[in-house]
Amino acid sequence: MSKSKQPIYASVDSLRDSIIDINDFIHDNPELGNNEFKAVELLTRTLAAHHFHVEQGVAALPTAFIATYTHKGGGPRIGLLCEYDALPGLGHGCGHNLQASSIVGAAIALSQNLGEMPVTIVVYGTPAEETTSGKLPMIKAGLFDDLDVALMMHGGDRTTVDGKSLAMNLIDFVFEGKAAHAAVAPEKGISALDGILMTFNAIEYLREHVRPDVKMHGVITNGGVAANIVPDLAVAQFYVRAADRPYLDTVLERVYNAARGAALATGSKLTINQVKKCENKVNVDKLNQLLLRNAEEAGIKEISPPRSSTGSTDFGNVTYLVPGACLRVAFVPFGTSSHSTEWVEAGTSEAGHNAVILAAKSIAGAAFDLIENPSLLQEVKEEFQNAKEAFLQNL
């Protein structure tokens, strides 16, 4: 254990009951994206009580907030990001209760152990990660532009870092046809549902001719109102993902053409609505390794290589602006899938509570290293610039 971080760990331990209470309250009061009012009230009240200046409703999002602690005139700006939305019908199957509580605990413990080092700690409350992705309008509002580094935590089935994420577009395909009696006069109708079904079939044929990292998955959100009425409106929602944005954009055009062909074949009208767009993560290995070293220092025994299979996150968009990294801390058995009842049930278990405390220590410790060692922070920023430039050259 690093002697310089022992006071930070002691602060986290002194906050243990409060951190776990936050975790359990958010877990037991699951709120969907953009409606996380109970979680935000608790988080902001706790931060304000520890001398953070709180701004609520930022970026015109009612449940987004920024809480800032300025020490000795400022210095580097360290961003700590947390999410707190739940999943529809499931609750906290992605473990955002752990994330919110550990980040708030890390921020408070860090603020209490800065000595004479100038720094600004900024806690970002980012709503609706599972749905509308609150980080996206927060990025558009410029709220991350002045950060030096951004750190996150996430629960997991292993302790590791996110070495990558998938670029992703979420799309609604809206087909409009013409209603008619399906038995008496079907020839007078144009089936919007047929357009949807043909789109699904065309995308199935497309799977054979794209890279293995491409993921295309959709549902029908509106398939008509009755079996004896030719559907005049039908809607499908698709996620399309790939390892990098340039290739994903080529796949998207082929997916759009599949839908356009279905509209042409059925005589229906097609509208393509892009719901949201997440970028693949710009990876900074030095920052990832810093998180893993601090996880080990904090007492985590088993650390795994980055996952080979990943999803998408709006945090990827943040990493286009500022060096960013996310530490995943194990709280469920290896191989347990997220978005599951197993994750929900483990959220308030002993393993969940231990993960929250270890994550708070790890994140606070990593931030402390960056503040205490300006040359390390500069190395991180230089690696980020090189990685970003290399990526942009491929766009």
Side-chain angles (χ1 to χ4, degrees):
M1 181 183 295
S2 170
K3 291 182 179 180
S4 63
K5 295 172 192 170
Q6 288 182 9
I8 293 176
Y9 301 153
S11 290
V12 172
D13 288 335
S14 71
L15 294 163
R16 181 183 179 91
D17 290 346
S18 177
I19 294 170
I20 289 175
D21 284 348
I22 292 171
N23 175 80
D24 291 0
F25 178 85
I26 294 175
H27 177 277
D28 295 342
N29 294 273
E31 299 168 293
L32 301 184
N34 298 309
N35 288 284
E36 312 99 323
F37 295 103
K38 293 178 182 178
V40 168
E41 192 282 327
L42 176 58
L43 295 171
T44 55
R45 173 163 46 87
T46 302
L47 288 162
H50 288 86
H51 313 295
F52 282 74
H53 172 70
V54 175
E55 302 171 75
Q56 296 194 49
V58 297
L61 299 171
T63 54
F65 70 86
I66 294 177
T68 306
Y69 183 89
T70 303
H71 187 71
K72 298 295 181 180
R77 293 178 68 87
I78 308 296
L80 305 178
L81 282 62
C82 65
E83 301 158 357
Y84 30 79
D85 60 318
L87 291 160
L90 185 61
H92 279 288
C94 206
H96 291 176
N97 51 300
L98 283 78
Q99 188 181 129
S101 54
S102 63
I103 288 297
V104 167
I108 294 170
L110 183 61
S111 73
Q112 294 173 346
N113 293 279
L114 293 171
E116 298 301 312
M117 297 184 298
V119 67
T120 302
I121 304 168
V122 189
V123 179
Y124 290 85
T126 63
E129 190 272 339
E130 299 289 354
T131 52
T132 58
S133 293
K135 296 182 193 67
L136 302 184
M138 295 174 78
I139 289 170
K140 189 174 182 180
L143 301 183
F144 300 99
D145 289 353
D146 57 356
L147 282 185
D148 288 283
V149 71
L151 301 176
M152 272 185 56
M153 172 271 179
H154 206 293
D157 66 337
R158 69 204 84 178
T159 298
T160 187
V161 289
D162 281 344
K164 61 181 180 180
S165 68
L166 298 177
M168 176 271 285
N169 282 54
L170 176 59
I171 312 126
D172 282 339
F173 294 111
V174 181
F175 283 80
E176 297 175 67
K178 182 180 179 182
H181 195 294
V184 176
E187 73 279 2
K188 294 181 180 180
I190 297 173
S191 174
L193 180 59
D194 285 352
I196 291 288
L197 296 177
M198 289 184 72
T199 299
F200 270 85
N201 284 326
I203 289 173
E204 287 302 315
Y205 290 123
L206 178 59
R207 293 184 194 280
E208 183 182 358
H209 304 289
V210 295
R211 291 186 333 205
D213 57 277
V214 173
K215 314 293 182 184
M216 298 178 288
H217 41 102
V219 296
I220 298 173
T221 57
N222 183 346
V225 294
N228 63 345
I229 302 173
V230 175
D232 63 346
L233 178 68
V235 183
Q237 186 169 86
F238 268 85
Y239 284 88
V240 185
R241 312 177 197 247
D244 60 86
R245 170 57 58 184
Y247 186 69
L248 176 58
D249 285 344
T250 68
V251 174
L252 282 168
E253 188 59 26
R254 297 168 74 185
V255 170
Y256 294 162
N257 283 338
R260 291 169 184 142
L264 181 63
T266 57
S268 53
K269 177 186 174 183
L270 169 66
T271 302
I272 300 174
N273 296 324
Q274 181 176 282
V275 180
K276 68 176 179 179
K277 175 181 177 181
C278 292
E279 305 300 346
N280 54 290
K281 185 175 180 286
V282 177
N283 198 43
V284 181
D285 186 63
K286 192 174 291 291
L287 200 52
N288 287 336
Q289 294 306 315
L290 177 66
L291 285 177
L292 293 179
R293 285 199 304 274
N294 274 275
E296 187 175 10
E297 285 186 26
I300 296 177
K301 303 298 183 185
E302 296 183 10
I303 295 177
S304 302
R307 300 175 301 164
S308 59
S309 178
T310 64
S312 308
T313 172
D314 55 1
F315 186 55
N317 298 56
V318 176
T319 69
Y320 274 62
L321 304 175
V322 58
C326 178
L327 175 70
R328 291 187 177 265
V329 178
F331 78 110
V332 293
F334 185 83
T336 304
S337 176
S338 61
H339 292 204
S340 66
T341 56
E342 289 81 3
W343 274 51
V344 176
E345 292 167 357
T348 55
S349 67
E350 182 180 357
H353 292 164
N354 288 338
V356 165
I357 299 305
L358 289 169
K361 292 178 179 179
S362 303
I363 295 293
F368 184 85
D369 283 342
L370 292 167
I371 299 163
E372 186 182 43
N373 188 348
S375 63
L376 174 61
L377 179 57
Q378 184 59 35
E379 289 172 10
V380 166
K381 294 169 77 170
E382 289 174 359
E383 183 182 338
F384 166 70
Q385 286 299 331
N386 292 335
K388 183 176 177 180
E389 288 172 9
F391 176 80
L392 292 176
Q393 286 175 0
N394 294 321
L395 288 180

